[in-house]
Amino acid sequence: MRNLLPALIVGVIFGAGLVLSDMVNPARVQAFLDVAGAWDPTMMFVMGAALLPSALAYLVHRRMQQPLLADQFFIPRNGPIDRPLLIGAALFGIGWGMAGFCPGPAVAGLVLGIWQVWLFVAAMLVGMILHRFANARFSKMSASAA
Amino acid sequence: MEPLSPLVAIAGGLLIGTAAAIFLLLTGRIAGVSGMTAVATRISSSGTPWSQAAAFVIGLPIGAALIAAFVRTPDVLITASPAVLIIAGLLVGVGTRLGNGCTSGHGVCGMARLSPRSIAATVTFMAAAILTVFVARHVIGG
């Protein structure tokens, strides 16, 4: 319960940043990705600026026993660079390039009153559900094979 | 499309990074949008607890609305057809789950801590996206 308000406020700040930086505009994102066309550097500034506080917080966290509002840090362990990671990232990149939307701007953009954003988010959720079922089936198969 | 002032872009980026920083230092967790969206919609149950993920995901459009109402109404220019948006959405949904993250979790959070997995993922999705736009605009469309 004590983490609800901080999570909400963090979401608000995050969503504000996505709109202020124009990352909710697919044309802006695709113009950055279009290195052979009229290249737009905006996303480079956004990513660079976002990395600064994020990296600083990571350095600060190393000097802390625990987070301010929780009992422990949940930093993903550094596993191997495996096929699911690379195939997943490649599929995500293809979809991102096609539409100009990644999950953050798409979810934040739901409020802007554009039906295409809702269509994209709906398809994205279906994709997540498909992955869940495919994953469950695959785990069952490999369990019975073993 | 009008160019966006680099200062505004940097201000927006700082907000995004600050959000990720606060989230880590307060709750101890990574501010990854794809993962928390999956948890908030009950598609996944791993990672951030549901209530916290839901609060974060609800916050995103609230923050977007605040900036749109009081600072700057964004131009949202979508050139993709409905069919392309559906295919792209499916790919983004499957891909971010399979690859365990998107631009926020791998790009903003993972890169900041120099995680090899996140760097590999970010290089891969950036390359795939650049290649996709190149093919769409200069091979098929050109």
Side-chain angles (χ1 to χ4, degrees):
Chain A
M1 215 35 213
R2 61 180 177 166
N3 281 337
L4 282 191
L5 192 61
L8 181 72
I9 292 168
V10 163
V12 170
I13 298 171
F14 204 114
L18 289 170
V19 175
L20 189 63
S21 62
D22 220 20
M23 291 297 98
V24 288
N25 185 359
R28 181 80 64 193
V29 173
Q30 285 174 321
F32 170 80
L33 297 170
D34 189 8
V35 290
W39 188 66
D40 180 319
T42 301
M43 205 176 95
M44 191 179 66
F45 293 119
V46 179
M47 278 295 273
L51 282 170
L52 279 175
S54 182
L56 200 64
Y58 184 69
L59 293 177
V60 170
H61 114 278
R62 289 206 222 171
R63 293 171 165 267
M64 293 164 65
Q65 294 288 331
Q66 60 184 75
L68 298 172
L69 297 176
D71 301 330
Q72 64 178 104
F73 284 100
F74 302 90
I75 311 279
R77 280 181 302 120
N78 277 323
I81 296 168
D82 51 12
R83 280 219 302 212
L85 178 78
L86 297 178
I87 294 170
L91 294 178
F92 162 48
I94 293 169
W96 186 31
M98 285 170 71
F101 279 121
C102 56
V107 173
L110 286 174
V111 80
L112 300 175
I114 302 158
W115 64 269
Q116 285 100 327
V117 181
W118 285 82
L119 181 65
F120 176 85
V121 171
M124 181 179 86
L125 294 178
V126 171
M128 289 180 171
I129 293 168
L130 287 176
H131 168 265
R132 176 182 165 161
F133 286 118
N135 204 32
R137 212 184 153 96
F138 184 74
S139 321
K140 216 182 279 174
M141 268 164 52
S142 40
S144 56
Chain B
M1 190 171 52
E2 297 260 315
L4 186 76
S5 154
L7 289 179
V8 176
I10 289 168
L14 285 174
L15 283 179
I16 295 168
T18 302
I22 297 173
F23 202 58
L24 176 67
L25 297 181
L26 289 187
T27 70
R29 291 185 185 271
I30 297 297
V33 177
S34 57
M36 280 201 274
T37 300
V39 171
T41 51
R42 303 251 191 222
I43 294 170
S44 165
S45 57
S46 63
T48 312
W50 175 78
S51 57
Q52 212 173 313
F56 173 84
V57 170
I58 289 167
L60 291 174
I62 296 175
L66 287 175
I67 294 292
F70 299 111
V71 183
R72 194 171 66 84
T73 313
D75 290 318
V76 180
L77 190 64
I78 300 166
T79 48
S81 66
V84 169
L85 285 172
I86 290 172
I87 296 166
L90 288 170
L91 287 170
V92 170
V94 171
T96 53
R97 295 307 296 145
L98 188 61
N100 269 313
C102 59
T103 340
S104 49
H106 283 312
V108 175
C109 298
M111 295 261 286
R113 63 189 161 87
L114 301 176
S115 149
R117 262 175 71 85
S118 288
I119 292 170
T122 305
V123 168
T124 305
F125 65 64
M126 291 294 293
I130 287 170
L131 197 66
T132 302
V133 170
F134 181 80
V135 170
R137 291 197 176 173
H138 305 287
V139 179
I140 303 172

